[in-house]
Amino acid sequence: MQFSNWHPLTWMSHALDCELFGLDAGGHHFTSLLLHAIDAVILFLLLSRITGKIGRSLMVAALFGLHPVNVESVAWVAERKTVLSMLFLLLALWAYLWYARKPGIGRHGCVDALFALALAAKPMAVTFPFLLLLMDYWPLQRIKPQRIKEWQSSSETLPLPQFPPLRLLTEKLPLFALSAASCTVTVIAQHRVAMKTMEAFPLRDRVVNALFSYVMYLWKAVWPVHLSVFYAPEGSRLTIWQAAVCLAFLVAISILVWRGRRSRPYLLFGWLWFLGTLVPMIGIVQVGEQGMADRYAYLPYVGIFIAAVWGLADLAQMRRIDPKYSAAAACAVLLVLSFLTRRQLRNWESSYVLFTHSLQVTPDNYVAEDIVGTALLEETFRTTGQKCSTEARLHFENAVRIHPEDTLGHIDLGFCRETQGNLQEAIKEYQAALQVTHSKFLKKRALINLGGVYRALRQFALARNYYNECLKVDPGDQDALKGLARVDKEEKMPSLEQTIAALSRAAADHPDAKLYLQLGNLQRAAGRVPEALISYQRAFDLDPNLEEARVALEELDASQ
């Protein structure tokens, strides 16, 4: 619960990987790839068993296995929950087929158990009872004709006992109960950290973003390029008429597939599968910062693939197209998808490469700006020992410009300002983070950083206040406790002016670039800007590669 998710089966899967492979990433990636391959095989076997259409089933499974949008669910080890949940959901569908042939309590219990395991891996499986009702319509055709003429007779490929709609709905009540329980647990786990309030994400923005996302998921199924690990919400940016166009497009497709429900039931089946399984992730209940995500399409795209493959195959038969040409076209599509998937995989080489790609394909992506900036901070420190660089700072500045309520961006920008000696600007950024944050962790981080800055300024009363505020959020926070101990110790040390005087004498006696940089930072903090400029220039003259001195000079020159 403390990690905003409840998926014990996924945790056990990761724990087993750690036992087998330790922290070797290759082993963890292998497990995710293996699960994805098993999912594709089971999907093929299930569809071919139910429909008797081996070629079509193979094409659906191949599309599922090779589509670039599914790269995120497999390449991202943290998304183990998606491929694992899909495995048990497909097994539960297979168990339902076994149950449908001869309904009984024992067989129903098997379906219930597998569904519970799918939920324990990831709650995306909550729509499973809805999928069973769809399968009762097609391809299982378990709905007994009564007064509704359009319901089909029993399937010729796999004859199953038929029942009235109410009976079919009633038999799924235990599954709906499991779904309700999973939803409740998920809300409890996520509402404190990940779930967004209506103030943060208004209902109007959520609905507009949902309509736009449905259309974009469809587009990326057909044209899977410009894929990103993060897509910013579009609800607040889109106008009402743009949302209306998206709604009209979705309604038009719905009308078309409804009209073809008798002659082409797979279209309605696939369309409702797509629409329904996306509901938990579409953003009406907003969890996280993303507007949409490739990983959310892992299950929904199965419906699109089924509708597309069956529809195109029937069209080819109706036009009497030679099966050889159909097979050649299918192979061409799979080759193109394989190429795009391989290209997409290269973007997962590192966090820096992944989010730099995101910046290239999704402008105004503040999350990518934050992560690229953080990656640059780590690289700068590893190679030069410096805590910040101009390039990293520019990314953080872009992040807060794009999204002024980006708490992490404000904190990281404040850190850069602080390490470059601009303590007053650092205070502004940390205070801005406090005003917009909804995260307990980030609030603590901002408070501790403010305490550190005021400690550096020797304003010990303010430093102590911020550390105490942090302890109100988390009474056991070690950084805050250590900060208070440092305040008590430093209060007895020489004043800032005395420290500046001592450093000035030391730098004059033993000229050193870092010593002059430290002196410039203290002079800047004390408001002695002309003296700070001289110290920074002296540091830069002694070491032209000292990035922090160069940045400080540029900032002070710009502020003159």
Side-chain angles (χ1 to χ4, degrees):
M1 295 289 189
Q2 60 182 324
F3 299 108
S4 302
N5 283 293
W6 184 83
H7 35 54
L9 195 61
T10 298
W11 291 331
M12 287 187 281
S13 170
H14 287 303
L16 178 60
D17 269 6
C18 288
E19 287 293 323
L20 294 175
F21 310 114
L23 296 180
D24 177 19
H28 297 257
H29 284 299
F30 172 78
T31 301
S32 293
L33 180 60
L34 178 63
L35 287 171
H36 177 60
I38 293 173
D39 289 345
V41 171
I42 294 177
L43 179 60
F44 162 68
L45 295 174
L46 180 64
L47 284 176
S48 60
R49 178 71 181 90
I50 294 174
T51 65
K53 304 290 187 180
I54 295 178
R56 300 182 186 189
S57 301
L58 183 60
M59 185 62 183
V60 169
L63 288 171
F64 172 80
L66 296 174
H67 202 282
V69 169
N70 286 343
V71 166
E72 182 174 303
S73 297
V74 184
W76 193 0
V77 173
E79 274 306 303
R80 170 70 54 77
K81 53 185 175 284
T82 298
V83 293
L84 188 61
S85 179
M86 186 69 164
L87 171 64
F88 286 103
L89 186 143
L90 290 171
L91 290 175
L93 289 176
W94 199 291
Y96 182 70
L97 175 60
W98 179 53
Y99 164 81
R101 297 179 66 178
K102 188 178 179 181
I105 295 178
R107 297 189 179 198
H108 199 294
C110 183
V111 177
D112 296 344
L114 288 169
F115 175 44
L117 289 173
L119 292 172
K122 186 178 182 180
M124 75 168 188
V126 291
T127 54
F128 177 72
F130 164 78
L131 295 182
L132 297 187
L133 291 173
L134 280 180
M135 291 185 67
D136 288 339
Y137 163 65
W138 187 90
L140 298 183
Q141 298 170 212
R142 294 185 67 213
I143 301 176
K144 185 176 183 179
Q146 291 180 323
R147 297 180 182 178
I148 306 177
K149 296 180 180 181
E150 57 256 27
W151 296 125
Q152 301 164 308
S153 59
S154 178
S155 170
E156 296 179 2
T157 304
L158 188 67
L160 296 173
Q162 292 186 312
F163 299 97
L166 183 60
R167 159 69 189 275
L168 295 176
L169 181 63
T170 303
E171 71 180 9
K172 295 171 181 63
L173 290 180
L175 299 172
F176 280 112
L178 283 173
S179 290
S182 178
C183 290
T184 302
V185 171
T186 301
V187 169
I188 293 173
Q190 294 186 335
H191 86 282
R192 291 184 179 179
V193 178
M195 191 169 292
K196 302 302 178 182
T197 63
M198 283 295 178
E199 291 77 15
F201 278 83
L203 181 59
R204 178 264 184 200
D205 292 352
R206 298 183 188 212
V207 173
V208 171
N209 184 77
L211 294 173
F212 175 78
S213 296
Y214 267 121
V215 174
M216 290 307 299
Y217 281 122
L218 285 172
W219 175 246
K220 290 183 182 296
V222 178
W223 194 253
V225 296
H226 294 167
L227 303 180
S228 173
V229 71
F230 179 82
Y231 302 96
E234 298 290 342
S236 60
R237 304 182 188 183
L238 298 177
T239 61
I240 293 298
W241 74 264
Q242 290 173 313
V245 170
C246 293
L247 177 60
F249 179 71
L250 297 173
V251 170
I253 296 177
S254 301
I255 292 173
L256 288 174
V257 299
W258 178 255
R259 287 181 175 177
R261 66 190 182 279
R262 297 184 186 180
S263 58
R264 297 178 180 83
Y266 50 77
L267 293 178
L268 182 61
F269 168 85
W271 181 241
L272 292 180
W273 178 302
F274 169 72
L275 293 179
T277 53
L278 260 178
V279 167
M281 293 91 74
I282 203 62
I284 299 300
V285 178
Q286 182 67 34
V287 177
E289 301 290 335
Q290 71 287 332
M292 57 182 286
D294 291 352
R295 59 189 177 275
Y296 293 162
Y298 194 74
L299 172 61
Y301 270 12
V302 172
I304 296 298
F305 296 152
I306 290 173
V309 170
W310 256 257
L312 291 173
D314 280 357
L315 180 63
Q317 287 183 350
M318 184 176 65
R319 297 286 182 90
R320 298 182 180 179
I321 297 175
D322 191 322
K324 294 180 181 179
Y325 295 128
S326 297
C331 289
V333 169
L334 295 178
L335 283 173
V336 171
L337 290 178
S338 298
F339 170 77
L340 293 174
T341 294
R342 183 171 181 177
R343 189 173 70 175
Q344 180 66 11
L345 277 169
R346 295 196 190 107
N347 296 323
W348 287 83
E349 177 185 335
S350 66
S351 295
Y352 177 78
V353 174
L354 179 64
F355 285 93
T356 299
H357 171 73
S358 292
L359 287 178
Q360 293 170 352
V361 300
T362 54
D364 294 339
N365 189 330
Y366 68 93
V367 170
E369 296 280 6
D370 281 333
I371 295 178
V372 171
T374 301
L376 288 170
L377 282 182
E378 295 172 354
E379 179 65 17
T380 300
F381 184 75
R382 186 181 65 83
T383 56
T384 68
Q386 297 175 11
K387 294 182 179 180
C388 190
S389 66
T390 302
E391 189 178 0
R393 176 171 55 81
L394 290 175
H395 281 289
F396 298 136
E397 289 175 350
N398 287 338
V400 298
R401 174 185 54 80
I402 294 166
H403 186 55
E405 295 186 357
D406 177 18
T407 305
L408 185 60
H410 283 295
I411 290 175
D412 287 336
L413 181 56
F415 173 77
C416 280
R417 301 292 193 197
E418 181 182 351
T419 57
Q420 293 171 351
N422 195 345
L423 301 186
Q424 295 302 326
E425 289 298 319
I427 290 172
K428 291 180 182 179
E429 296 298 336
Y430 293 144
Q431 289 177 338
L434 283 179
Q435 292 173 1
V436 300
T437 187
H438 300 284
S439 165
K440 176 181 175 181
F441 171 77
L442 293 179
K443 182 177 182 179
K444 290 195 303 177
R445 187 171 162 187
L447 289 168
I448 288 170
N449 288 2
L450 276 167
V453 173
Y454 279 113
R455 207 181 76 239
L457 290 171
R458 298 186 63 82
Q459 297 182 29
F460 297 116
L462 284 172
R464 187 176 282 107
N465 286 342
Y466 281 112
Y467 287 133
N468 285 327
E469 284 296 316
C470 182
L471 290 174
K472 290 180 182 178
V473 178
D474 181 3
D477 189 273
Q478 292 300 307
D479 290 329
L481 292 171
K482 291 177 183 178
L484 285 173
R486 292 192 184 101
V487 167
D488 292 337
K489 180 180 179 181
E490 291 173 7
E491 271 187 312
K492 303 173 184 177
M493 296 173 65
S495 67
L496 180 59
E497 294 300 328
Q498 291 173 321
T499 304
I500 290 174
L503 270 178
S504 297
R505 290 192 296 270
D509 294 338
H510 304 285
D512 178 80
K514 291 188 176 180
L515 198 59
Y516 273 110
L517 175 66
Q518 185 179 2
L519 176 60
N521 288 341
L522 291 176
Q523 290 167 334
R524 186 177 183 181
R528 294 157 62 171
V529 175
E531 296 176 43
L533 270 169
I534 295 173
S535 296
Y536 286 138
Q537 186 62 57
R538 186 80 172 117
F540 187 69
D541 291 340
L542 289 169
D543 184 2
N545 294 320
L546 190 58
E547 178 74 6
E548 292 172 336
R550 185 184 65 79
V551 171
L553 280 170
E554 290 177 354
E555 289 183 344
L556 288 182
D557 286 337
S559 64
Q560 292 295 310

